[in-house]
Amino acid sequence: MLKKIVRHSWNVLSGLFVLLCSLWLSGPGIAETDTPYYRWYFMLWFALWIIGFLLQFKQRMKWIGFLVTFIPTLYYLFLVLRAMELF
């Protein structure tokens, strides 16, 4: 029971974090120019997270899915820590 709670909590928190970071970085909100320049390749990190999330539903692929969802989360966490100059 505790494993399910931890896994579902991880999925919710990491999913929201990856989605919000992907949307923020793919939109024109951080551009320094007036031209709307959309960088949709940041949404590929969210697509990778979705693939890992879907892999968690198969019993044999549960740990691989967990690791795949961990990759985009670590990438954005690294970017956030670098932006805050903590790392």
Side-chain angles (χ1 to χ4, degrees), residues 32-84:
E32 295 180 1
T33 62
D34 293 333
T35 58
Y37 181 68
Y38 294 97
R39 296 172 295 217
W40 291 107
Y41 51 84
F42 281 108
M43 292 304 288
L44 292 175
W45 287 109
F46 183 66
L48 180 66
W49 186 90
I50 289 290
I51 291 169
F53 176 71
L54 293 175
L55 284 175
Q56 288 183 16
F57 289 110
K58 295 184 180 188
Q59 190 63 27
R60 291 190 295 170
M61 304 293 272
K62 191 178 292 186
W63 284 105
I64 294 174
F66 178 77
L67 291 175
V68 170
T69 59
F70 205 63
I71 293 169
T73 307
L74 280 180
Y75 175 74
Y76 282 130
L77 186 63
F78 177 74
L79 287 181
V80 167
L81 291 176
R82 288 289 305 245
M84 293 173 30

